[in-house]
Amino acid sequence: MASKFPAIRPTSRTFTMGDYPSKTYTSLSGVIFKRAFGNRQTGYTLNLTFKNIGDTSELRSLSGTAKQIIDHYNSVDGTYDKFTLPDRMFAGMDNDLESLIQAPTDISWRYAAPPQVQSVKAGVSTVTVRLVGELDGL
Amino acid sequence: MTQQIRIVQYFNLTATGGPYRYQNYFVGDNSTFGGLTYGFAPFQVNGGVSSLNGDNLQIQVLFPANEIALRLLDVAEGNRKSLLTLYTRTVNKNGQVSNAGPTEQFIGLGASIGLDTIELRFNTAADSVASNFPAQRLNQQNVGILPLDSALSLR
């Protein structure tokens, strides 16, 4: 298990619950027929935006840097390796809700895609990160 | 109106050092079926076309190229020396498995190995015979080497 994601508070956070793997057949009569293929939810997503953070030096205490995120992305071999999410990522969220999102049962978080870095001005960037929580191969 | 079904398949492979038992529904858990314990493996079963002529049934069991599939390949010598019993059962919302359902037996036919998947191929050992089949016993003297598929050589 690689290190935690950097303890940076995002400026926006969008979480989508996972679902049970299933397929749906719709008959001509309109009857829906669903088949489930497993007993665990998967396919959670967490999209994070870190707006106007320093490129390499923190603009405020614990505001994080774009370099920290890129370094972390490299340390977990891009989208390959899994990692855990720090509490700070869920700042402002109720603890009970946070526990459901931070570590759902048997779910591992990975980068869904490489982080995007948008330059705002000299030394300041906005970083967008997309994570996916999936059941690990056993 | 919606109808729902949950299906588990139990894979019981006999090969060198086996049996090897896996199920594909209870993720990360063991499941007891018929008094035997089946571990989890993320496989899926494809194929299986039955015909009026009773041709033998061919299926492919698709695994990700993981340790389990590699071991199955190894112990069954490329899945040529294996016997598979496949049980298909329904599961209710509480995880209880039904007793009734199809039970099929297959023998290994080989395997296809891809970059990220391993497909084990099986078919049923017995095939049907047509009405014009000679009224003789099926042995090596009249059909040659006894086949593992439907390609009989009539002599």
Side-chain angles (χ1 to χ4, degrees):
Chain A
M1 173 76 69
S3 60
K4 279 187 177 178
F5 191 88
I8 311 172
R9 182 185 304 187
T11 46
S12 74
R13 180 179 53 216
T14 305
F15 171 73
T16 308
M17 275 291 291
D19 196 7
Y20 291 91
S22 67
K23 285 198 170 186
T24 301
Y25 169 77
T26 306
S27 69
L28 289 176
S29 63
V31 173
I32 301 295
F33 189 87
K34 293 182 82 72
R35 177 182 168 183
F37 293 90
N39 65 341
R40 298 278 167 82
Q41 289 158 290
T42 187
Y44 296 76
T45 62
L46 182 60
N47 297 336
L48 305 163
T49 304
F50 302 90
K51 210 166 187 176
N52 300 331
I53 59 175
D55 284 350
T56 54
S57 56
E58 293 186 324
L59 301 178
R60 294 179 305 280
S61 175
L62 297 174
S63 65
T65 66
K67 184 176 184 300
Q68 277 181 291
I69 296 172
I70 300 298
D71 284 345
H72 179 259
Y73 176 74
N74 290 332
S75 75
V76 295
D77 298 333
T79 59
Y80 186 74
D81 210 355
K82 57 192 177 184
F83 51 87
T84 56
L85 306 180
D87 291 337
R88 179 169 287 272
M89 185 177 284
F90 301 95
M93 183 178 279
D94 184 90
N95 284 345
D96 290 342
L97 182 58
E98 176 185 333
S99 64
L100 293 175
I101 297 173
Q102 191 171 18
T105 308
D106 293 330
I107 289 295
S108 299
W109 287 103
R110 288 181 171 83
Y111 287 92
Q116 288 185 312
V117 181
Q118 180 186 11
S119 296
V120 177
K121 65 174 191 177
V124 178
S125 294
T126 291
V127 182
T128 306
V129 171
R130 289 169 48 214
L131 306 180
V132 60
E134 293 176 326
L135 290 167
D136 247 343
L138 303 163
Chain B
M1 182 179 178
T2 303
Q3 295 184 333
Q4 299 159 306
I5 191 168
R6 300 173 181 82
I7 292 179
V8 58
Q9 287 176 306
Y10 292 95
F11 173 99
N12 189 345
L13 188 88
T14 302
T16 306
Y20 302 89
R21 300 189 185 101
Y22 300 101
Q23 52 82 23
N24 62 1
Y25 181 84
F26 301 99
V27 179
D29 291 332
N30 290 333
S31 174
T32 301
F33 176 73
L36 301 171
T37 301
Y38 291 73
F40 174 75
F43 66 88
Q44 69 182 63
V45 179
N46 301 319
V49 178
S50 61
S51 71
L52 200 59
N53 295 330
D55 297 337
N56 52 3
L57 196 67
Q58 299 199 4
I59 62 164
Q60 302 88 41
V61 182
L62 187 70
F63 284 85
N66 61 7
E67 284 181 27
I68 291 173
L70 288 171
R71 188 171 54 156
L72 293 178
L73 264 187
D74 184 38
V75 298
E77 298 185 27
N79 197 40
R80 288 172 299 153
K81 295 183 178 178
S82 62
L83 170 67
L84 169 67
T85 306
L86 185 71
Y87 305 90
T88 304
R89 297 291 185 270
T90 56
V91 186
N92 70 12
K93 188 174 174 57
N94 300 322
Q96 287 182 312
V97 178
S98 67
N99 292 322
T103 299
E104 294 153 311
Q105 292 198 320
F106 301 93
I107 53 174
L109 265 188
S112 301
I113 302 165
L115 283 176
D116 52 4
T117 59
I118 291 177
E119 184 182 84
L120 306 181
R121 289 181 281 118
F122 297 90
N123 73 351
T124 45
D127 197 6
S128 64
V129 292
S131 58
N132 58 354
F133 193 80
Q136 293 181 307
R137 291 182 61 183
L138 188 67
N139 56 39
Q140 288 197 10
Q141 281 186 328
N142 57 26
V143 297
I145 296 171
L146 289 173
L148 296 180
D149 59 17
S150 57
L152 291 181
S153 171
L154 298 176
R155 295 174 186 177

